[in-house]
Amino acid sequence: MAYNTHMNFWQKIKAEKGMILALSPMDGVSDYPFRSISKKYGQMELVFTEFANVEGVCLSKSTQILNHFDFDNAQRPLIAQIFGKTPKYFKQVAVLLCEMGVDGIDINMGCPAPTVSSHGSGAGLIRTPDLAREIIKAVQTGVQEWSEGLLLEDCEDISTQTIAALRDKKKFFALEDADRKRQPTVSVKTRIGIADDEIESWLPNLTQMNLAAISLHGRTLKQSYSGRSNWEVIAKATAIVKQNSPNTIFLGNGDVLDYEEAKQKVIDCGVDGVLIGRASFGRPFVFLPSKQREEFLRTHNLFAIALEHAKLYEETYGQKERYNFLPMRKHLAWYTKGVEQAALIRSELVRSNSATEVAEILKKHQLI
Ligand SMILES: Cc1cc2nc3c(=O)[nH]c(=O)nc-3n(C[C@H](O)[C@H](O)[C@H](O)COP(=O)(O)O)c2cc1C
């Protein structure tokens, strides 16, 4: 692809690096501290936030849901992911994300969780393609109208508390005011179908929408996380996307373990890049090419990184209402994978309540 100034950041990365490697969005996992640590040590090109529910952003009395969108400039390009089923809320949350200064807005059309998909959101949208397209249009309209001057204050379902919380966040994370000439891209992450491969009927609904990117997890909604991600279907989907919408970046996803496997998928399936999710738990180095990965493992102590992660978690959320250390514990367990005496160390780490306690445990076992 020839490089030109009209390219969006997806296309620029593809042109510069040959492929795009991204940290997949993961609810309950890819919060701000996890993304910071992953990006610092894994140096992947893109990170996605956990998904946040647009109905929740607009209707909830609490502003806690905005924590899903926390980011700083070091995480750019940052893609915020949202889910839901109500176009008018998608439009207003798109305006909110523009105001926050994210680089991309991704719409989740892949979540199989019954609490999401059985209500018609996430992968449930594969059943209602007209609504799926309406939602994409709503987000694109929100972005467009914001770039033409629409104010967050003019969005009827965004409360004054939400606007105040957003301003506080921008201050906390040192985010400058967003430039209305820099519109966030709009993309979709989805699955191959409800019970079977439906890409031939489903994907054209997306490729006609002028999306910057489409990410495809090679499982159906019914499969949830069972079986294997079907990369043959992903390869077939590449052809559909490239034929119908050649400027749309297309990423494959599912069961990829490291940089080399991702590169092989790009070669074998023709995708522009790959999202890696679960393989990165406690292992930010999986995004590095093998030589750099070996060097990383020679020169870094993963437990020092675990402690850095715990400290960042505490610094970020320690002062927030309803703060607790619980969500950090699973990460600590993941950092012990493949370590001698892992069971004992893990059992202590998953009972820790602060970064200070984590440091004590790691010191006691002479791990830092
Ligand atoms: C704990 C967990 C939470 C997830 N949350 C999201 C999410 O918020 N949005 C999304 O699009 N996908 C979500 N996913 C799906 C992943 O992004 C990814 O598509 C899936 O795990 C397959 O990729 P992998 O085999 O590399 O993990 C989640 C997956 C896991 C395991």
Side-chain angles (χ1 to χ4, degrees):
M1 194 186 288
Y3 192 94
N4 72 56
T5 49
H6 301 298
M7 285 179 170
N8 61 40
F9 64 85
W10 303 84
Q11 293 163 332
K12 279 183 195 158
I13 296 170
K14 174 74 200 308
E16 283 169 13
K17 306 258 169 115
M19 75 170 189
I20 299 173
L21 202 48
L23 176 66
S24 221
M26 287 180 287
D27 184 40
V29 177
S30 46
D31 57 7
Y32 167 81
F34 177 75
R35 275 181 271 123
S36 283
I37 296 289
S38 300
K39 178 106 186 181
K40 177 175 175 186
Y41 293 107
Q43 295 169 35
M44 73 292 294
E45 282 85 30
L46 295 179
V47 297
F48 287 69
T49 68
E50 312 168 75
F51 64 10
N53 180 232
V54 294
E55 287 84 8
V57 174
C58 291
L59 302 176
S60 168
K61 293 257 180 301
S62 160
T63 57
Q64 217 178 357
I65 192 165
L66 297 182
N67 295 352
H68 285 72
F69 302 138
D70 288 348
F71 74 100
D72 59 20
N73 285 325
Q75 293 189 2
R76 290 189 186 281
L78 183 281
I79 300 150
Q81 200 192 52
I82 48 180
F83 76 99
K85 59 176 176 185
T86 320
K88 70 169 180 173
Y89 297 142
F90 271 99
K91 180 182 166 190
Q92 295 174 75
V93 175
V95 175
L96 180 144
L97 290 170
C98 287
E99 197 63 33
M100 198 158 177
V102 304
D103 299 290
I105 301 174
D106 191 75
I107 306 165
N108 180 298
M109 299 193 181
C111 181
T115 46
V116 172
S117 62
S118 66
H119 295 283
S121 305
L125 284 166
I126 301 172
R127 288 197 181 95
T128 54
D130 293 348
L131 177 60
R133 291 197 311 274
E134 204 187 320
I135 283 171
I136 296 169
K137 192 78 215 146
V139 172
Q140 290 169 331
T141 305
V143 170
Q144 184 61 34
E145 290 185 9
W146 173 81
S147 78
E148 290 161 5
L150 178 65
L151 301 175
L152 197 49
E153 286 76 1
D154 295 333
C155 295
E156 60 178 2
D157 298 301
I158 304 286
S159 69
T160 49
Q161 289 94 316
T162 294
I163 295 173
L166 186 88
R167 306 261 183 266
D168 287 349
K169 272 194 188 302
K170 285 175 70 170
K171 221 180 266 166
F172 184 87
F173 290 103
L175 295 169
E176 59 280 7
D177 277 339
D179 173 358
R180 287 181 194 260
K181 287 198 274 312
R182 275 191 56 232
Q183 296 183 17
T185 62
V186 179
S187 57
V188 166
K189 178 166 176 283
T190 188
R191 289 193 174 226
I192 59 175
I194 297 293
D196 300 297
D197 163 13
E198 294 175 54
I199 56 164
E200 277 170 35
S201 55
W202 166 234
L203 285 184
N205 289 291
L206 306 181
T207 54
Q208 66 180 268
M209 297 306 295
N210 195 24
L211 291 163
I214 297 172
S215 305
L216 186 66
H217 178 186
R219 288 185 173 87
T220 61
L221 181 161
K222 287 253 160 77
Q223 269 182 293
S224 190
Y225 290 91
S226 65
R228 299 284 299 166
S229 179
N230 192 334
W231 281 86
E232 276 173 34
V233 174
I234 293 175
K236 217 168 58 175
T238 309
I240 297 174
V241 174
K242 293 298 161 191
Q243 188 178 1
N244 294 351
S245 184
N247 292 327
T248 299
I249 290 289
F250 183 61
L251 307 180
N253 170 238
D255 306 331
V256 172
L257 296 179
D258 58 23
Y259 175 94
E260 277 68 33
E261 250 192 56
K263 201 168 172 190
Q264 200 58 48
K265 296 297 188 204
V266 170
I267 295 166
D268 294 344
C269 306
V271 290
D272 297 310
V274 169
L275 307 181
I276 296 183
R278 291 165 295 174
S280 71
F281 291 176
R283 301 160 73 83
F285 53 84
V286 297
F287 295 93
L288 300 171
S290 65
K291 272 225 169 81
Q292 271 172 262
R293 195 157 65 227
E294 284 160 22
E295 174 69 11
F296 172 90
L297 291 168
R298 252 199 318 276
T299 53
H300 288 79
N301 174 359
L302 262 190
F303 289 105
I305 294 176
L307 179 58
E308 182 185 350
H309 188 163
K311 283 182 179 164
L312 181 60
Y313 181 84
E314 221 168 54
E315 274 165 31
T316 312
Y317 298 122
Q319 308 304 320
K320 295 255 154 65
E321 56 172 314
R322 287 189 272 163
Y323 165 75
N324 74 67
F325 197 68
L326 238 72
M328 185 60 220
R329 291 177 174 175
K330 60 183 174 298
H331 293 282
L332 297 170
W334 289 330
Y335 284 112
T336 67
K337 255 188 302 191
V339 170
E340 265 180 67
Q341 287 197 303
L344 173 66
I345 300 157
R346 196 162 47 232
S347 71
E348 293 183 21
L349 286 173
V350 298
R351 280 181 278 144
S352 62
N353 281 306
S354 67
T356 308
E357 281 182 35
V358 172
E360 281 164 7
I361 295 164
L362 296 176
K363 276 187 194 138
K364 185 176 82 182
H365 291 282
Q366 297 179 332
L367 293 165
I368 54 170

